[in-house]
Amino acid sequence: MTSRREFLASTGLAAGALALASRRLEAAESGSPILTATTEPDPQVRVLLMEALNAAKLAGASWADVRVQRQRRQNLGTREQQVTNVLDTDTIGCGVRVLVDGTWGFSATRALTTDGVARAARQAVALARANRVARDREVRLAASPAHPNATWKSSYTVDPWSIPVEEKVQLLLQANAAAQRVRNVRFVNSSLQFVKEERSYANSEGSVISQDVVRSWVTMSITAISDDRRQVATRGPEVVQPAGRGWEYVLEADIVNNATVWAEQAREKLTARSVEVGRWDLILHPSQLFLTIHESIGHPTELDRAMGYEANYAGTSFIAPPDTVLGKLKLGPEHLTIRGDRSQPGALATIGYDDDGVQPDEFDIIKNGIFWDYQTTREQAEWLRPWYEKNNMPVRSHGCAYAQSWSDVSFQRMPNVSIVPDQRVDRSWNDLIAATDKGIAMIGRASYSIDQQRYNAQFGAQICYEVRGGKIVGQLKDVAYVMRTPEFWNSIDLIGGKSSYELGGTFNDGKGQPGQANAVSHGCPPCRFKDINVINTGVTL
């Protein structure tokens, strides 16, 4: 890990150059050695980017890109009135990726000097030559326009690192105290997690792109215990969805006042009736449904996974091979459209440009109930050229390339994958409940299990309400639904409107070898699924 002080000390370009030293001081004062206050590359960083590209070209690369990247993370944890964890990490370095004879090579370094990045570029070229013997197909990149001076900043207004740790901890302790005032609540855990990524990217086609990204997440886990100590019920920990925003998002979540609501829900759960096994209509809240979208639609429509390149780790996909399912596989009724994007404000996968230098687009994955497209990078878009040309669609990447840090090679990661709200009727959560005679309304993600092809699955929820005659009549417990993906999505009969649309997500979606994690959101309104098989997870054999 390289600290900002080490970075500034080791970058030799400014030695003796007063102007550059002045800019360096300005960057340090702004808190970033990578970007200026206007999200442009620091002039010294721009020199490093060009040096790496030039070294790659001289060594024989036909194409190259380079990322100078800083990533900061902060995790704070509390339990009742104690601080259990305070962790800060900060890492800066440079990754160089090249193509030689249609074969990838990658190398990374924390030596942020001209000699250091040039050496990394030459190593990447050498590795590409070594990899040539194992190449199964020549890498061809779909065309993408160059972005010579592009900048982008995510939709945050208050940088979490501008807020003292003491103030953050105080907020968590206040929320814990509020939850503990509810009868039967015995244990409360809460945490804050922040990520800040500063990226400067350049490629041999002329793109120079700088981006500033912040993500925030607050969690609470509230446990209630019955008076006779025979029943235990928990609400959380994902009571607030993570977002691509800053400290202002944490304050808007109002966890001190909402802690009482979540605590009362945990207490009510102590006396919940155990669910009756059988077929139920399910009304799934966005805080629960996002995970089902992620696992059953997001993952199987990753093109590398469908082509078998993730078989050793994350798994394969039942939505394969592409030429047998594109435009043919029915994954829902005509009124269901599920869309990929990296543009929704506040969503976790939202970014201005991906790690191929592509400005992402919006694309339909399921279009009017039919599987229509995969998630792609520039390399993968060429694999689907026949499908795109047949349907008069541009052969372009959807902008899904991502690397979690400067030391990781970028590859295809999930964009935001979201259900398009009903455009005809603006139904709310309460409207769906009122329209249901016998059902279960489920809120919040809980335990789940899914097979490696994403075909068979089981999902639970934090809070489950029984619905009878269009009204909620009380909580149920031990609820989980089991599904086969095509039948489940074809059972959706009511989709909420745009006013009930919400984002859910996670910081930690794993994939690849060596493993990497990315953050991703899934948006949806509440939806109703008909006649779903519900099991009782509390039954013992």
Side-chain angles (χ1 to χ4, degrees):
M1 183 175 70
T2 303
S3 69
R4 183 175 61 205
R5 184 182 299 276
E6 291 168 341
F7 170 82
L8 292 172
S10 63
T11 306
L13 294 171
L18 182 60
L20 288 180
S22 175
R23 292 191 184 97
R24 179 189 293 177
L25 177 60
E26 180 183 337
E29 290 176 343
S30 73
S32 172
I34 302 294
L35 307 176
T36 68
T38 55
T39 323
E40 296 174 342
D42 181 279
Q44 297 169 36
V45 171
R46 185 182 285 268
V47 170
L48 297 179
L49 296 173
M50 296 303 111
E51 180 67 24
L53 293 177
N54 187 53
K57 182 179 179 181
L58 290 175
S62 59
W63 185 93
D65 68 5
V66 53
R67 280 179 289 114
V68 174
Q69 183 175 338
R70 180 194 196 193
Q71 185 182 76
R72 303 179 72 181
R73 287 181 175 268
Q74 185 177 76
N75 296 330
L76 309 174
T78 68
R79 175 176 176 174
E80 291 89 55
Q81 290 305 296
Q82 304 172 64
V83 178
T84 57
N85 183 48
V86 177
L87 177 65
D88 268 292
T89 62
D90 189 346
T91 180
I92 306 172
C94 173
V96 184
R97 186 176 58 155
V98 302
L99 277 175
V100 178
D101 192 19
T103 307
W104 288 118
F106 175 78
S107 184
T109 180
R110 66 182 69 189
L112 293 179
T113 63
T114 51
D115 288 344
V117 300
R119 186 165 52 250
R122 289 190 291 272
Q123 287 173 343
V125 170
L127 287 169
R129 290 199 170 103
N131 290 338
R132 175 63 178 84
V133 68
R135 192 189 79 182
D136 63 345
R137 70 173 79 190
E138 179 182 0
V139 175
R140 296 179 181 274
L141 301 181
S144 179
H147 304 283
N149 293 294
T151 63
W152 187 87
K153 179 174 177 288
S154 65
S155 55
Y156 73 92
T157 56
V158 181
D159 186 335
W161 273 265
S162 70
I163 305 300
V165 168
E166 292 82 356
E167 184 175 336
K168 296 168 181 169
V169 168
Q170 185 64 25
L171 179 68
L172 294 178
L173 295 179
Q174 288 175 352
N176 293 356
Q180 286 180 278
R181 284 193 284 273
V182 173
R183 187 167 178 268
N184 293 113
V185 169
R186 293 292 181 269
F187 307 108
V188 184
N189 290 272
S190 58
S191 73
L192 283 165
Q193 300 176 54
F194 302 103
V195 178
K196 184 173 177 64
E197 293 182 347
E198 298 159 354
R199 295 163 166 263
S200 283
Y201 169 95
N203 66 28
S204 55
E205 296 167 320
S207 286
V208 179
I209 300 166
S210 293
Q211 303 185 89
D212 177 7
V213 181
V214 164
R215 299 190 284 269
S216 301
W217 197 1
V218 54
T219 66
M220 288 195 74
S221 180
I222 302 168
T223 299
I225 298 178
S226 62
D227 293 337
D228 62 3
R229 299 183 179 273
R230 300 183 64 182
Q231 300 293 325
V232 177
T234 298
R235 176 75 161 106
E238 294 89 1
V239 290
V240 177
Q241 296 300 319
R245 296 183 58 198
W247 179 247
E248 75 284 354
Y249 177 74
V250 174
L251 296 182
E252 290 169 13
D254 194 11
I255 61 171
V256 175
N257 287 316
N258 282 321
T260 302
V261 177
W262 300 323
E264 290 286 1
Q265 290 171 337
R267 181 171 180 268
E268 181 188 4
K269 196 173 177 180
L270 291 172
T271 57
R273 186 171 71 84
S274 192
V275 70
E276 178 184 336
V277 171
R279 297 277 179 175
W280 295 76
D281 293 346
L282 300 183
I283 305 160
L284 303 184
H285 189 270
S287 61
Q288 198 282 335
L289 183 54
F290 90 87
L291 184 62
T292 307
I293 298 170
H294 176 84
E295 301 294 350
S296 68
I297 299 296
H299 277 307
T301 57
E302 296 168 318
L303 184 52
D304 53 356
R305 187 176 183 127
M307 298 286 282
Y309 291 109
E310 276 289 317
N312 281 347
Y313 181 61
T316 60
S317 170
F318 77 95
I319 307 179
D323 59 354
T324 67
V325 293
L326 281 165
K328 300 171 185 173
L329 179 62
K330 189 172 185 299
L331 283 173
E334 189 173 356
H335 60 278
L336 177 66
T337 291
I338 297 182
R339 187 165 292 162
D341 76 84
R342 301 191 71 182
S343 57
Q344 294 184 67
L348 294 167
T350 296
I351 202 164
Y353 304 85
D354 78 347
D355 285 342
D356 277 347
V358 172
Q359 192 167 26
D361 64 348
E362 294 183 2
F363 59 103
D364 289 341
I365 295 174
I366 297 175
K367 183 179 181 180
N368 301 126
I370 302 298
F371 174 60
W372 194 251
D373 208 347
Y374 289 97
Q375 307 156 42
T376 58
T377 62
R378 290 182 68 177
E379 177 186 4
Q380 294 170 332
E382 284 291 335
W383 303 349
L384 299 181
R385 176 175 286 277
W387 165 251
Y388 292 144
E389 291 181 342
K390 175 185 174 183
N391 291 279
N392 297 315
M393 299 162 65
V395 182
R396 61 152 294 168
S397 163
H398 293 311
C400 299
Y402 176 78
Q404 72 169 7
S405 83
W406 56 269
S407 59
D408 293 299
V409 65
S410 70
F411 68 128
Q412 191 269 304
R413 301 312 310 269
M414 198 182 299
N416 308 308
V417 175
S418 306
I419 296 176
V420 176
D422 194 312
Q423 305 298 301
R424 304 159 301 177
V425 183
D426 193 12
R427 297 185 189 90
S428 67
W429 169 255
N430 289 335
D431 291 336
L432 296 189
I433 291 172
T436 302
D437 184 51
K438 177 198 171 190
I440 302 173
M442 303 176 72
I443 299 173
R445 64 173 285 187
S447 64
Y448 69 100
S449 177
I450 191 164
D451 70 30
Q452 61 95 9
Q453 287 196 317
R454 308 287 151 161
Y455 189 71
N456 299 283
Q458 172 183 318
F459 291 90
Q462 294 177 23
I463 299 293
C464 299
Y465 292 108
E466 182 176 5
V467 177
R468 293 282 183 180
K471 296 181 179 178
I472 288 177
V473 297
Q475 277 203 41
L476 294 171
K477 65 179 181 180
D478 309 323
V479 180
Y481 60 89
V482 294
M483 55 177 265
R484 289 194 300 184
T485 299
E487 287 88 343
F488 177 79
W489 287 104
N490 276 290
S491 75
I492 190 170
D493 72 331
L494 291 178
I495 297 175
K498 60 183 179 181
S499 65
S500 58
Y501 183 90
E502 296 181 19
L503 289 169
T506 179
F507 271 18
N508 305 304
D509 178 37
K511 186 180 173 187
Q513 291 177 300
Q516 296 187 40
N518 75 316
V520 60
S521 289
H522 303 289
C524 61
C527 297
R528 189 176 74 176
F529 297 80
K530 293 289 288 183
D531 205 25
I532 302 300
N533 191 18
V534 169
I535 62 172
N536 187 314
T537 60
V539 173
T540 56
L541 299 177

